[in-house]
Amino acid sequence: MLVSLQVGSLIAPAYACGCGAMVVNRNSQVAVDRETSAVSWDGRTEHIVMQLSVRGDAPDAAWIMPVPHRATVELGDAALFSELRSITAPVTEERHYFWPRAEDWPFGGSGNSVGDSAAGPTAGAPVDVVGRERLGPFDVARLAATDPEALEGWLKANGFELPDRLATALTPYVEQKWEYVAVRLAPENQGGTLSGTLEPLRLRFASDRLVYPMRLSELAATPQSLDLYVLADHRMEPRGAIGGRPPKVGYAGRVDPAEEPYEALAAVTGDKPVFVTAIHQYFPWPERIDGDHELRATAEDTPYRTVVYRDALLTWAGMPAWLLTLLGGAVLLVAVPLFLVLRARRRRPVVPPPPVVTPPPLG
């Protein structure tokens, strides 16, 4: 069982967010402040649990997610994300320094130092709504499309327009005969705007490889950050950088979810221990993203954990060690010469007094 967690940031206006695309009407804006996704794969079926935190002035929006095969959709468990963040959090260690710095006394401061496994879409009509459900605040439509115009028709029917750039970006998925999950997001309070953290959605679909759709992120207007947390039998890594900077590992280690316990994680892994790998990647130029992320096992399960050091001034009995050292040195500068003088005096030879001469008797 493989699980990954992806977190991205996006500032409106833009169409991309981590593993999908957000569309609003031309008079509104929506920013995806945070996107968190958990992905699992057992060799045949892939699961994605996604949660979005959004803000803006739009009364509703459409979110589009490409998937390689027909998907089923249900509500997910938000507790999974909290547990994964807790597991992979860096540890803090204190590191001491001797001489005072700018923030320390006497310079300043006090010295005290953050899917069902169904086949793909068949040829035929350019769009086919294969399912539709109401899940919490979501109106979910599962589309089988062989042309980007399929999405355009669904979006128009729901009050949105398909941006030209998004239609072009979807072309590779159409050529691979992927399907789409189209979700209409609406605030729970009538007449409100789309804002806050939404309930997570869980997608399930057939897949012969662990793939995380990232291609639509090329539409983003700002740099993108990817935090990928992978839980598997072994340490995992992306096959390539897909147009971003080289991925960096922030955590790698085996975790037993029953020990803490991590109940949501245990539900995903079946109470079995898993190897957790946390990967960070930065995309300074999103337009260079040229594919989807695929994950594979590394040659060795080498453990690793990020350590955040907290620098602290070295003290003894509450006093800065450097000050005690200077005071001690000053004492030595006075005491040593005094000691040497006293020692020299003790070793100086004593001159005997002159002999007493008895005067002769007076004649």
Side-chain angles (χ1 to χ4, degrees), residues 175-346:
E175 293 174 348
Q176 297 176 65
K177 299 188 182 301
W178 281 35
E179 296 191 1
Y180 312 113
V181 173
V183 180
R184 184 174 178 272
L185 310 175
E188 293 184 341
N189 56 321
Q190 298 246 343
T193 56
L194 199 61
S195 183
T197 299
L198 307 179
E199 293 184 56
L201 281 175
R202 180 173 180 175
L203 288 71
R204 180 165 59 99
F205 52 87
S207 181
D208 58 1
R209 58 199 170 105
L210 180 59
V211 57
Y212 193 80
M214 284 287 299
R215 191 185 299 270
L216 296 185
S217 293
E218 69 179 358
L219 302 178
T222 60
Q224 300 287 287
S225 292
L226 173 67
D227 290 308
L228 199 62
Y229 302 83
V230 185
L231 281 74
D233 292 333
H234 302 281
R235 178 170 168 168
M236 303 297 290
E237 65 180 359
R239 289 184 178 272
I242 63 169
R245 291 180 178 171
K248 297 180 179 180
V249 174
Y251 178 92
R254 194 165 298 280
V255 176
D256 187 350
E259 290 183 355
E260 286 299 326
Y262 294 113
E263 296 181 359
L265 178 60
V268 174
T269 65
D271 292 318
K272 297 179 180 179
V274 292
F275 200 98
V276 181
T277 311
I279 303 169
H280 176 77
Q281 188 178 13
Y282 183 60
F283 297 89
W285 301 283
E287 64 276 9
R288 297 183 183 179
I289 296 176
D290 57 7
D292 299 317
H293 258 315
E294 293 186 44
L295 299 170
R296 63 184 179 185
T298 59
E300 297 181 2
D301 292 338
T302 306
Y304 175 81
R305 184 153 200 173
T306 298
V307 178
V308 177
Y309 290 100
R310 176 184 177 271
D311 291 337
L313 183 66
L314 183 63
T315 62
W316 184 80
M319 291 286 291
W322 68 269
L323 181 58
L324 293 176
T325 301
L326 291 180
L327 291 175
V331 171
L332 289 175
L333 287 176
V334 174
V336 169
L338 181 60
F339 170 78
L340 294 176
V341 169
L342 295 176
R343 183 180 180 186
R345 287 184 176 180
R346 285 197 302 267

Side-chain angles (χ1 to χ4, degrees), residues 3 19 29 39 57 84 112 114 121 125 136 164 173 216 291:
V3 179
C19 67
Q29 290 186 347
V39 182
D57 59 3
L84 290 175
N112 297 327
V114 202
D164 293 338
Y173 294 118
L216 296 185

Side-chain angles (χ1 to χ4, degrees), residues 101-123:
R101 298 178 179 177
E103 65 274 13
D104 298 316
W105 182 88
F107 306 112
S110 61
N112 297 327
S113 333
V114 202
D116 289 338
S117 48
T122 58

Side-chain angles (χ1 to χ4, degrees), residues 3 31 33 38 42 64 72 78 96 148 161 231 296 313 345 347:
V3 179
D33 291 322
D42 61 5
I64 301 166
T72 59
H96 294 94
E161 295 182 13
L231 281 74
R296 63 184 179 185
L313 183 66
R345 287 184 176 180
R347 291 187 175 184

